[in-house]
Amino acid sequence: MGKLFVVGIGPGGLQHMTIKARDAINTSDIIVGYSKYLDIIKPLLKNKETFSTGMYKEKERAMKALELSKNKIVSIISTGDSGIYGMAGLILQISENEDIEVIPGVTASSAAASIVGAPLSHDNCNISLSDLLTPYDLIKKRIRLAGEGDFIISLYNPKSNGRPHYLKEAIEIIKEFRSLNTPVAVVKNALRIGEEFRFCNLSTFDDTDVDMSSIVIIGNSNSFMKNNKFITPRGYKLKNV
Ligand code: SAH
């Protein structure tokens, strides 16, 4: 009997992967994933069989992993959390009666937040700006409602060549609901090689260096900067703060 682990490998640095995720990979006969993500965990793949496909081949990858898992132990990997814009949903949607275990991981917003301070300490939401699977009108509606709801917003898939204007448009929508000095953080390659981050606010926001390895976090109406840290208060009554 085989088994399929749907593994969130975390943001990239191997020390940020859970022990459970490592165990799943260690016990697997074969690891399935997008080639760039297999590279991230290369040190764990010595003597392991792998099956990789290019980007946008998620369905093919998912079907292959399910088929292999009928008589082998298989891990299919996603970066960050496997259930947040990852493979878990698709796998469960097309599965029949295979033995499947979903293993969570540190998602990009948590990874990025830890680098810039504590911006997600109150109600927050993730919005992906990718329109490959979601119509752009719906994405804009969600940004508007998240803006109105005063959620801290983490923008995943913020900018790609095919949709260079979405990020600027998202920021314009959020400006309708928040003061112009609301803190914004841009974090690239959080907790992995190539990590960079910078702070700005809604009025000084510039999207030039933002790419698909970046995440953009926009504070709520109470977020502020202190000692170069981006903080959203939980609401505790504190003296002198
Ligand atoms: N399952 C992943 C998200 C996949 S969507 C997770 O839970 O993190 C891909 C998007 O996630 C990227 O375009 C980027 O916006 C974000 N992302 C993933 N890893 C990141 C990292 N280490 N640093 C910054 N952003 C990252």
Side-chain angles (χ1 to χ4, degrees):
M1 265 301 278
K3 171 157 185 156
L4 179 59
F5 294 105
V6 189
V7 182
I9 62 168
L14 293 183
Q15 70 275 38
H16 296 290
M17 201 167 158
T18 66
I19 293 168
K20 181 86 182 172
R22 263 174 192 258
D23 285 349
I25 286 166
N26 278 337
T27 55
S28 291
D29 304 310
I30 176 156
I31 317 295
V32 178
Y34 169 41
S35 37
K36 195 175 135 190
Y37 300 163
L38 287 173
D39 275 352
I40 291 180
I41 57 161
K42 209 170 189 171
L44 309 181
L45 299 179
K46 288 184 189 117
N47 310 320
K48 290 270 179 216
E49 200 183 331
T50 58
F51 176 85
S52 68
T53 59
M55 222 179 3
Y56 311 130
K57 297 270 185 189
E58 286 91 354
K59 264 195 274 181
E60 187 187 300
R61 231 180 289 147
M63 280 158 65
K64 182 76 180 180
L66 281 164
E67 179 200 317
L68 289 166
S69 76
K70 294 204 162 93
N71 45 33
K72 283 186 170 169
I73 313 278
V74 182
S75 282
I76 183 165
I77 60 168
S78 293
T79 58
D81 188 291
S82 53
I84 300 180
Y85 312 120
M87 295 298 290
L90 174 61
I91 292 276
L92 294 175
Q93 243 182 309
I94 61 179
S95 65
E96 286 163 5
N97 52 7
E98 299 87 350
D99 181 0
I100 297 170
E101 185 174 341
V102 177
I103 299 179
V106 176
T107 192
S109 61
S110 300
S114 74
I115 294 162
V116 300
L120 307 181
S121 296
H122 214 288
D123 299 334
N124 63 92
C125 68
N126 300 330
I127 298 179
S128 166
L129 295 191
S130 170
D131 62 356
L132 287 178
L133 302 169
T134 310
Y136 188 42
D137 279 347
L138 180 56
I139 296 173
K140 284 194 287 192
K141 178 178 175 186
R142 287 180 177 159
I143 294 168
R144 205 173 305 116
L145 292 171
E148 186 180 347
D150 201 25
F151 289 91
I152 304 136
I153 302 171
S154 299
L155 296 174
Y156 282 66
N157 301 302
K159 197 173 135 208
S160 75
N161 295 336
R163 45 179 173 81
H165 306 301
Y166 287 15
L167 178 56
K168 273 193 195 140
E169 285 165 11
I171 296 291
E172 286 309 310
I173 295 171
I174 297 166
K175 275 184 186 168
E176 291 170 29
F177 303 95
R178 310 248 162 118
S179 90
L180 290 179
N181 61 9
T182 303
V184 176
V186 176
V187 185
K188 193 183 281 195
N189 292 314
L191 302 182
R192 68 183 177 212
I193 292 167
E195 179 180 294
E196 283 173 31
F197 69 94
R198 65 179 170 85
F199 296 116
C200 51
N201 62 35
L202 281 177
S203 71
T204 59
F205 181 77
D206 171 6
D207 73 345
T208 342
D209 61 345
V210 180
D211 60 14
M212 289 295 273
S213 300
S214 315
I215 186 162
V216 179
I217 303 180
I218 299 129
N220 73 9
S221 57
N222 292 316
S223 301
F224 62 93
M225 296 296 299
K226 181 187 170 189
N227 298 336
N228 216 30
K229 294 286 182 199
F230 179 172
I231 302 166
T232 303
R234 281 212 61 197
Y236 299 112
K237 299 273 174 287
L238 303 173
K239 278 188 195 155
N240 309 323
V241 181

